[in-house]
Amino acid sequence: MSQLRNVKILGTGKFLPKKKVTSYELDHLLGLNNGWVEQKSGVSLRSFVENETASEMAALASIDAINASNLHKEDIDCIVSVSGTMEQPIPCNASLVQKQLGLNNSKIPCFDINSTCLSFVTGFDTISYLVHSGRYKNVLLVSSEIASVGLNWKNKENAILFGDGAAAAVISKTPDTENSKILAGHMETFSDGAHFTEIRGGGTKLHPNHPTANETDFLFDMNGKSVFKLSSKNIVSYMEKLLSLSNCTINDIDLVVPHQASGMAMRILRNKLGIDEAKFMNIIHNHGNTIASSIPMALHEAIVQNKIQRGNKVMLIGTSAGLSIGGVVFEY
Amino acid sequence: MSQLRNVKILGTGKFLPKKKVTSYELDHLLGLNNGWVEQKSGVSLRSFVENETASEMAALASIDAINASNLHKEDIDCIVSVSGTMEQPIPCNASLVQKQLGLNNSKIPCFDINSTCLSFVTGFDTISYLVHSGRYKNVLLVSSEIASVGLNWKNKENAILFGDGAAAAVISKTPDTENSKILAGHMETFSDGAHFTEIRGGGTKLHPNHPTANETDFLFDMNGKSVFKLSSKNIVSYMEKLLSLSNCTINDIDLVVPHQASGMAMRILRNKLGIDEAKFMNIIHNHGNTIASSIPMALHEAIVQNKIQRGNKVMLIGTSAGLSIGGVVFEY
C-alpha cells in the first residue's frame, strides 16, 4: 500500500547556545593527550547551555523556522515537541514552547512525541498523515535538547560525543501545483537493546527521591559495542525495506541526512550502505550529537548550504535508544 | 473538513497493582478525621504499586486488550505508549513494553506520545489517521502510570486523588461491513496554565543532580484553584467546538468518558456541560486519578459493564497539565 503523503517542509530553523567547547578544552579537562577527544568522537566543537532552557532554545529555533516558512507564528495550528529529553516531567515540552513563543492565548494544541534520537523522524512521519488529511495546516515540529547536564564524564567515550541545541521545521500540505511529498517512513524497534542506551534513574522505576538512587543513575549510559553489534546486524535489511517502501534505490537519493551519532558510527553507516561521502550530510564536527535535534539540524544545514533543492529526494535515517532504527524518504 | 476516520477499538484491557489503599487508611496516616479523604477526593479506594514497574503493568493491561481483541500479540504492528509518566528517561516507555511483552524479536515500531493526562486521547486521535490510511493494522495504545512515587503528602488535597494502574486498547481499521469510526478529535492548549500543574525537577531544567534541587522539586504540585478557573473559563466553548466538529449535539452522545481527575472536578464538569449522571462514566471511587490511564480505564470499565454497545456514540474528554483540554467523539 502506498504511503504517499502530500506534505512539504516549508522551512527549518536552528539555535545553538552561545557557549562553545572545543575538543582541546575537553582533552585538557579530562587529562588526555591533545587530539584524543576529536579523534575518538569526530567532534571538534560543541555548544553547551549556560542558563538557556530547552524551551527557550526551542522557541528561538521555531521562530527561525517560521520565518524561513514566510509565516507568522499565529499561522501555526499544532506544536509537537519531538525531543528525547524533557525540560521538566510535567507538563509536556510543547506547552512550555507555546508559552515561550508568546502563543499562550492561541489555544494551539501541544503534545510531545518521543523516540529518543529519532523523535523528529517519528514526529515528521506520524504528523504528516494529519497534515495530508487536512487536520492541521501548519505544524511546528521542534527538537530541543540539553545533553550536557546528563553526561557522565567518567565515561568519557560517551560524554565527548554530545552537544546541546535545538532545531525546528514547519510542515504543511503541498500546494496542488507542487510535488513535495513523503514517499515512505519506516521504523523497527529491537528491545533486546532496550538497556544498551539508557538513563536508568529519574522516572517512576528509580525516582529521584528513591533512597538507593545515586548521581550516576541520572546520567547517560551507553554500551557502544552492543549498540553497534545490534544495529549493524539489522541496518542493511532495514534500509532495503525503507527503499522498497519508497520505490527507490539508494542511487535515487540525492542526500542522506543521518543522525549525527558519532564520527565513527556515521562512517560505518555510510560504508555499510555504500553511500558517497558527497551525498551524506555531516555536521558532527561542529555540533556533536544533539540527540533528537541532530537530524533536523543537519537537514536545516543542508538546506541553508544549498545541498538540497526542491525536487531532490532526501532520506532521514538513524538509530536511537530502544534500540530503534528509523527513517523517512521524501521529495523536498 | 470532515475528520472521519474508519477506526475501531477492537478491545481494551486494564491492570491494577495488588496493593489497595483505602481512604480510611489515608485519614489515619495523615492524622485526619475519618471520612475527610473520601469526601475531599471522591476516592474510597486506590491501588499503589509495591514492586510492579510501569512496563510490567503496561504489558499485563496490553495482554488483556489483545485477548479482548481476539488477536495474538504478534498481530500488533505498532506499540505507542500514551502515558504522562516515564519508567526511565531513556529509552522511551514503548520499547520497555515491547520487551515486557516478549516481542523483542518482532521489530514492531515503538514510540511515546505524551500530553500528560490526555496522552491516551491524543494518541488515539493522532494514530487513528495512520490506521485509517493503512500504515498500521493493529496498534496497541497503552497507558501505564505510577503516580504514588511522586506524591507530596504535605500537599494532601492533591496527593489523595491519585492511584496507580494501566489500561490499553487495540485499534484497527473498521471492516467495510461495520460502522465504527472517529467522528472528530479536538485539543486546545492554554499555556498560561503551563505552571499550574507540574513536576518542576527531574528534567534538564532542574536535573536530579542539580545542587539546588530538593525532594519536593521532584513531587507533583498543582494549584487546583487556578486549574479550575482556567478550565472552567474555556470548557463550554471547547465542548461546542468538539460537538460541532462531530456534527453532534450533547444529546446524541450515549456515554461521556471523562478524565477521572477528582470527584469534585467531574461533578463540576458534568453540571457545567449539562450531562445526565447515567451518561457520565465514573470510576474514580475505586481507582482514583490514574493520570493518562484514567480515560482508557474508564472506557474499559464502560465496555466490560455493558454501558456501551457497538454503534453507540462515545465522547472521551478531559483536561491535563499544559493546561490542555482534549477530547474525541467516536462511534464504538
Side-chain angles (χ1 to χ4, degrees):
Chain A
M1 178 174 296
S2 166
Q3 284 192 15
L4 283 187
R5 284 148 268 164
N6 298 320
V7 169
K8 178 184 183 181
I9 294 178
L10 290 185
T12 59
K14 99 177 211 195
F15 177 80
L16 292 179
K18 274 199 297 283
K19 184 184 174 188
K20 306 300 170 193
V21 180
T22 67
S23 285
Y24 287 106
E25 287 174 73
L26 292 182
D27 287 332
H28 184 72
L29 277 167
L30 298 168
L32 298 162
N33 291 336
N34 268 355
W36 190 91
V37 167
E38 183 164 346
Q39 205 205 336
K40 272 276 178 190
S41 63
V43 184
S44 58
L45 194 76
R46 75 281 290 147
S47 309
F48 280 169
V49 295
E50 290 173 302
N51 297 312
E52 299 95 336
T53 64
S55 58
E56 285 164 6
M57 296 199 300
L60 292 164
S62 296
I63 289 169
D64 199 18
I66 292 165
N67 288 339
S69 306
N70 288 316
L71 294 177
H72 300 286
K73 64 184 181 182
E74 292 76 12
D75 298 322
I76 300 298
D77 59 356
C78 182
I79 299 174
V80 185
S81 167
V82 282
S83 303
T85 59
M86 60 188 181
E87 177 157 324
Q88 52 187 73
I90 295 176
C92 66
N93 290 325
S95 297
L96 299 170
V97 176
Q98 192 207 63
K99 193 175 172 80
Q100 289 287 351
L101 283 169
L103 289 168
N104 42 302
N105 289 316
S106 65
K107 301 188 184 181
I108 298 171
C110 293
F111 57 92
D112 295 0
I113 293 181
N114 179 355
S115 59
T116 337
C117 291
L118 285 170
S119 300
F120 179 85
V121 175
T122 304
F124 180 40
D125 191 9
T126 303
I127 298 301
S128 62
Y129 284 91
L130 284 75
V131 171
H132 176 86
S133 84
R135 171 65 178 273
Y136 296 118
K137 282 197 168 60
N138 301 302
V139 178
L140 173 65
L141 297 168
V142 56
S143 305
S144 185
E145 305 280 23
I146 298 178
S148 56
V149 296
L151 299 175
N152 183 350
W153 292 100
K154 287 180 186 153
N155 202 329
K156 54 184 184 298
E157 282 85 351
N158 292 334
I160 60 175
L161 301 174
F162 291 91
D164 302 337
V170 178
I171 64 171
S172 185
K173 186 139 189 193
T174 309
D176 289 343
T177 54
E178 300 180 19
N179 292 315
S180 299
K181 61 179 94 62
I182 292 184
L183 300 175
H186 183 57
M187 184 186 198
E188 297 180 359
T189 298
F190 306 87
S191 60
D192 276 336
H195 296 287
F196 290 171
T197 307
E198 57 181 347
I199 295 180
R200 278 177 287 278
T204 57
K205 191 175 181 186
L206 191 61
H207 188 271
N209 293 342
H210 194 283
T212 72
N214 64 54
E215 282 192 20
T216 308
D217 291 324
F218 306 125
L219 300 177
F220 180 74
D221 190 25
M222 178 166 67
N223 183 333
K225 279 186 190 147
S226 297
V227 168
F228 171 70
K229 208 172 149 189
L230 186 55
S231 50
S232 294
K233 189 177 147 193
N234 291 289
I235 190 76
V236 173
S237 71
Y238 169 85
M239 182 62 115
E240 284 167 4
K241 179 79 180 171
L242 177 61
L243 286 169
S244 135
L245 288 167
S246 311
N247 208 12
C248 286
T249 69
I250 191 68
N251 295 324
D252 297 326
I253 306 296
D254 296 292
L255 192 72
V256 174
V257 180
H259 173 44
Q260 312 286 307
S262 78
M264 190 173 70
M266 290 166 69
R267 205 160 43 242
I268 290 167
L269 179 73
R270 194 171 67 71
N271 289 334
K272 200 147 180 121
L273 301 177
I275 302 165
D276 286 351
E277 197 160 3
K279 291 169 71 174
F280 196 77
M281 192 66 198
N282 188 330
I283 64 163
I284 195 164
H285 58 288
N286 57 350
H287 293 79
N289 175 341
T290 56
I291 317 179
S293 300
S294 143
I295 288 177
M297 204 177 284
L299 175 63
H300 172 76
E301 285 297 320
I303 293 168
V304 167
Q305 296 174 24
N306 287 312
K307 294 202 172 183
I308 54 174
Q309 313 296 331
R310 293 289 172 192
N312 281 174
K313 287 195 175 72
V314 179
M315 174 187 284
L316 312 180
I317 187 170
T319 59
S320 73
L323 184 154
S324 294
I325 309 178
V328 166
V329 176
F330 65 99
E331 189 174 319
Y332 176 59
Chain B
M1 177 175 296
S2 166
Q3 284 193 12
L4 284 186
R5 284 149 269 166
N6 297 322
V7 169
K8 178 184 183 182
I9 295 177
L10 289 185
T12 59
K14 98 178 212 196
F15 177 80
L16 292 178
K18 275 199 296 283
K19 184 185 174 189
K20 306 301 171 193
V21 179
T22 67
S23 286
Y24 288 107
E25 287 173 72
L26 292 182
D27 287 332
H28 183 73
L29 277 167
L30 297 168
L32 299 162
N33 290 335
N34 267 356
W36 189 92
V37 167
E38 182 164 348
Q39 205 205 336
K40 272 276 178 189
S41 63
V43 184
S44 57
L45 193 76
R46 76 279 292 145
S47 309
F48 281 169
V49 294
E50 290 173 302
N51 298 312
E52 299 95 336
T53 65
S55 58
E56 285 165 6
M57 296 200 300
L60 292 164
S62 296
I63 289 168
D64 198 17
I66 292 165
N67 288 340
S69 306
N70 288 316
L71 294 178
H72 301 285
K73 64 185 181 180
E74 292 75 12
D75 298 323
I76 300 298
D77 58 356
C78 182
I79 300 174
V80 185
S81 167
V82 283
S83 302
T85 59
M86 58 188 183
E87 178 156 322
Q88 52 187 74
I90 295 176
C92 66
N93 290 324
S95 299
L96 299 170
V97 175
Q98 194 208 61
K99 193 174 171 79
Q100 288 287 349
L101 283 169
L103 289 169
N104 43 301
N105 289 317
S106 65
K107 302 189 184 182
I108 298 171
C110 292
F111 57 93
D112 295 1
I113 293 182
N114 179 356
S115 59
T116 335
C117 291
L118 286 170
S119 301
F120 178 84
V121 175
T122 304
F124 180 39
D125 191 8
T126 302
I127 299 301
S128 62
Y129 284 91
L130 284 73
V131 171
H132 175 86
S133 83
R135 171 68 178 269
Y136 296 118
K137 283 197 168 60
N138 300 303
V139 179
L140 173 65
L141 298 167
V142 58
S143 304
S144 185
E145 306 280 23
I146 299 178
S148 57
V149 295
L151 300 175
N152 183 351
W153 291 101
K154 287 179 186 153
N155 201 331
K156 53 185 184 296
E157 283 86 351
N158 292 334
I160 59 175
L161 302 174
F162 291 90
D164 302 336
V170 177
I171 64 172
S172 186
K173 186 138 188 194
T174 309
D176 289 342
T177 54
E178 300 179 20
N179 292 314
S180 299
K181 62 178 90 63
I182 292 184
L183 300 174
H186 183 56
M187 183 185 199
E188 297 179 1
T189 299
F190 306 87
S191 60
D192 276 336
H195 296 287
F196 291 171
T197 308
E198 58 182 345
I199 295 179
R200 277 177 289 278
T204 56
K205 191 175 181 186
L206 191 62
H207 188 271
N209 293 344
H210 194 282
T212 72
N214 63 55
E215 281 193 21
T216 308
D217 291 323
F218 305 125
L219 300 177
F220 180 75
D221 190 25
M222 178 167 65
N223 183 333
K225 279 185 189 148
S226 297
V227 169
F228 170 69
K229 209 172 147 188
L230 186 56
S231 52
S232 293
K233 189 179 147 193
N234 292 290
I235 190 77
V236 172
S237 70
Y238 169 85
M239 182 62 115
E240 283 167 4
K241 180 79 181 174
L242 178 61
L243 287 169
S244 139
L245 288 168
S246 310
N247 209 10
C248 285
T249 69
I250 191 68
N251 295 324
D252 296 326
I253 305 297
D254 296 293
L255 191 72
V256 174
V257 179
H259 173 45
Q260 313 285 307
S262 77
M264 190 172 69
M266 291 166 68
R267 205 157 48 239
I268 291 167
L269 178 72
R270 193 170 68 70
N271 289 333
K272 198 145 182 128
L273 301 176
I275 302 165
D276 287 350
E277 197 160 2
K279 290 169 71 173
F280 196 77
M281 191 67 198
N282 189 330
I283 64 164
I284 195 165
H285 58 287
N286 56 350
H287 293 80
N289 175 342
T290 56
I291 318 178
S293 300
S294 143
I295 289 177
M297 203 177 282
L299 175 64
H300 172 77
E301 285 296 320
I303 293 168
V304 168
Q305 296 173 25
N306 286 312
K307 295 203 172 182
I308 55 174
Q309 312 296 330
R310 292 289 172 191
N312 281 176
K313 287 195 176 67
V314 179
M315 174 187 285
L316 312 180
I317 187 170
T319 59
S320 73
L323 181 153
S324 295
I325 310 178
V328 167
V329 175
F330 66 98
E331 189 172 319
Y332 177 60

